[in-house]
């Protein structure tokens, strides 16, 4: 869990603001060195993520929506964010905990947004899950084949577009049709979703962000009483 931005020393707040500006401008080198600098000061990966990266990407999203930024600029910002996430990856995924379950995750068909989904995958790994990340534009066949191949406990699906979120329902309908729905816990997330949508499509839970995804996955594994060595 990150610290509140206002509780951070002024120079650290300024540092994160600079990182957000560099992310907005898509300057990968500066975002990467800003990430390294913040960690060297003893900032937690959660703080760097929330205040340096996600907060910057929120502004990019607002200006993209408002027609101030266009796809090429957003892509540059996304590239910078992904490079910084690679530095955080070992810190977020390192875990001394025993394996608590197996998860399959992907962004659904028609959708290529993967930053949030990759973050969930990293946090799940850090929480002790064996994670199979299928990438983007994943169809029902691929989800189902992987779930069976790795004998998964959890299916995570991500969608960032209002036009692609209905595909999650198709995947769940496919699990139902194959008589597999009860075998897997289905968690869904992504900016345009909400809990009512998750309930409508008969997912087990909606996760607002990566930490909720960890909490939900842990809680549902406990409910199932699954123990994996
Ligand atoms: Co796109 N895009 N984009 N985009 N893009 C959005 C989503 C949009 C809201 C921007 C806007 O208009 N303000 C808008 C969608 C509108 C809508 O449908 N309501 C949009 C659009 C329209 C598009 C295109 C159609 C643009 C075009 O071509 N005209 C196009 C679609 C391409 C496609 O997928 N077919 C497109 C393309 C792109 C880029 C390729 C340029 C790039 C993606 C690069 C990449 O991912 N590799 C991009 C980006 C970067 C964005 C925004 C700016 C940022 C998304 C992001 O990475 N956020 C986004 C604006 C926004 O979301 N505000 C936008 C940071 C990330 C950490 O947050 O992904 O929300 P998020 O993940 C969170 C939670 O949602 C949750 O946890 C994560 C971490 O806390 N979560 C899960 C996510 N998945 C989960 C799965 C789980 C659990 C939780 O499973 C259990």
């Amino acid at each position: 869990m990150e610290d509140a931005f206002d509780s951070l020393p002024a120079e650290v707040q300024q540092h994160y603001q600079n990182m957000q500006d560099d992310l907005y401008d898509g300057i990968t080198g500066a975002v990467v060195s800003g990430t390294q600098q913040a960690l060297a000061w003893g900032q937690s990966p959660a703080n760097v993520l929330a205040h340096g990266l996600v907060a910057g990407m929120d502004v990019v999203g607002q200006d993209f929506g408002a027609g101030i930024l266009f796809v090429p600029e957003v892509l540059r910002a996304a590239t910078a964010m992904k490079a910084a996430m690679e530095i955080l990856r070992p810190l977020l995924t390192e875990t001394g905990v025993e394996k608590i379950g197996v998860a399959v995750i992907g962004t659904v068909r028609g959708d290529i947004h993967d930053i949030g989904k990759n973050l969930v995958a990293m946090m799940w790994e850090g929480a002790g899950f064996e994670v199979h990340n299928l990438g983007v534009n994943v169809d029902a066949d691929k989800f189902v084949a992987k779930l069976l191949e790795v004998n998964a406990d959890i299916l995570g699906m991500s969608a960032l577009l209002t036009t692609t979120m209905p595909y999650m329902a198709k995947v769940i309908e496919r699990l139902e049709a194959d008589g597999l729905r009860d075998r897997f816990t289905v968690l869904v997330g992504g900016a345009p979703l909400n809990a009512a949508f998750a309930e409508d499509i008969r997912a087990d839970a909606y996760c607002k962000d990566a930490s909720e995804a960890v909490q939900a996955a842990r809680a549902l594994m406990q409910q199932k009483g699954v123990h994996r060595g």
Side-chain angles (χ1 to χ4, degrees), residues 2-227:
E2 73 270 8
D3 300 313
F5 186 76
D6 292 344
S7 71
L8 299 172
E11 66 272 22
V12 176
Q13 290 187 10
Q14 184 57 54
H15 180 75
Y16 283 138
Q17 253 142 19
N18 295 342
M19 278 182 68
Q20 291 172 28
D21 291 346
D22 291 333
L23 183 88
Y24 187 95
D25 293 335
I27 310 172
T28 298
V31 177
V32 165
S33 59
T35 298
Q36 287 161 333
Q37 179 66 67
L39 292 172
W41 284 342
Q43 284 291 299
S44 67
N47 275 2
V48 182
L49 247 183
H51 305 311
L53 303 177
V54 174
M57 191 52 100
D58 282 347
V59 184
V60 171
Q62 283 156 22
D63 283 3
F64 187 28
I68 297 165
L69 291 181
F70 297 94
V71 169
E73 287 108 321
V74 179
L75 257 183
R76 275 199 290 276
T79 303
M81 177 143 180
K82 288 175 109 172
M85 277 165 61
E86 282 311 307
I87 295 168
L88 299 179
R89 178 189 292 277
L91 303 170
L92 292 171
T93 56
E94 75 189 8
T95 167
V97 297
E98 73 178 278
K99 182 167 125 188
I100 54 172
V102 179
V104 168
I105 190 166
T107 302
V108 297
R109 192 173 83 181
D111 201 319
I112 60 166
H113 295 86
D114 67 354
I115 295 175
K117 179 262 302 167
N118 288 345
L119 205 46
V120 173
M122 284 182 205
M123 303 272 285
W124 274 354
E125 274 182 49
F129 286 91
E130 174 187 312
V131 179
H132 299 267
N133 186 340
L134 299 181
V136 297
N137 194 24
V138 182
D139 65 17
D141 284 347
K142 203 166 166 192
F143 275 125
V144 172
K146 193 51 128 184
L147 286 165
L148 294 173
E149 179 198 325
V150 301
N151 189 21
D153 303 296
I154 293 179
L155 167 62
M157 290 189 281
S158 179
L160 265 286
L161 299 171
T162 43
T163 49
T164 56
M165 53 193 261
Y167 192 74
M168 293 175 161
K170 300 265 176 251
V171 178
I172 292 175
E173 282 160 17
R174 167 69 186 279
L175 290 173
E176 288 169 348
D178 290 359
L180 294 168
R181 178 63 188 89
D182 293 343
R183 201 167 140 185
F184 308 110
T185 293
V186 180
L187 301 178
V188 293
L193 276 67
N194 56 36
F197 172 77
E199 201 180 331
D200 266 7
I201 64 167
R202 298 183 294 281
D204 291 290
Y206 157 70
C207 312
K208 180 170 64 65
D209 55 26
S211 23
E212 272 197 23
V214 169
Q215 283 163 23
R218 274 205 192 112
L220 289 159
M221 289 301 290
Q222 267 165 13
Q223 265 176 35
K224 267 172 114 180
V226 179
H227 298 286

